[in-house]
Amino acid sequence: MKENAVITIISITIIVLNMMMIIVLNIKNAIMVATMAEVTTVTMAEIMVATMAEVTAAVMAVITAVVMAVTTAEVTVATMAEITAVTMAEVTAVTMTVTTAVVKDVAAVGAGCFNLINN
């Protein structure tokens, strides 16, 4: 009778220990799954942040280059138009002044010749 009781107690102890081992393994697996999920989430978030930073930097560099090229072209065109307009105005003014002086001189010489001929 005592032997049966000891065997029963040992059997129950083994069953309880096996159940505890199963519970511990389930808890370990749950912790591993949660840890892997957390690591994956954090890693993906970091990768996304780094990728977005690189993409944003590249896009901003391209946009800046295009804007600078267009702005430079527009400024050059406007500047050249202004320079051309001012230069043409100055050349026209000088030409008109010189032409007017020459016409006056020619008229004066013509008048002098006319006076010489008539006198």
Side-chain angles (χ1 to χ4, degrees), residues 1-61:
M1 201 65 174
K2 281 184 175 181
E3 293 172 359
N4 287 340
V6 171
I7 291 173
T8 303
I9 292 173
I10 291 174
S11 297
I12 291 173
T13 305
I14 290 173
I15 291 170
V16 169
L17 288 174
N18 281 336
M19 291 175 63
M20 290 177 65
M21 187 59 109
I22 291 170
I23 292 170
V24 167
L25 286 175
N26 286 338
I27 292 172
K28 182 194 84 136
N29 287 340
I31 291 172
M32 286 301 293
V33 167
T35 303
M36 287 305 294
E38 184 68 22
V39 167
T40 302
T41 302
V42 170
T43 303
M44 289 305 292
E46 289 178 357
I47 289 171
M48 287 302 295
V49 167
T51 303
M52 288 306 294
E54 289 180 8
V55 168
T56 302
V59 170
M60 288 305 293

Side-chain angles (χ1 to χ4, degrees), residues 73-95:
E74 289 178 354
V75 168
T76 301
V77 167
T79 304
M80 289 306 293
E82 184 69 22
I83 289 171
T84 302
V86 170
T87 304
M88 288 304 294
E90 289 178 356
V91 167
T92 302
V94 170
T95 303

Side-chain angles (χ1 to χ4, degrees), residues 95-109:
T95 303
M96 289 303 293
T97 303
V98 170
T99 302
T100 302
V102 168
V103 168
K104 284 182 181 178
D105 288 345
V106 169
V109 169

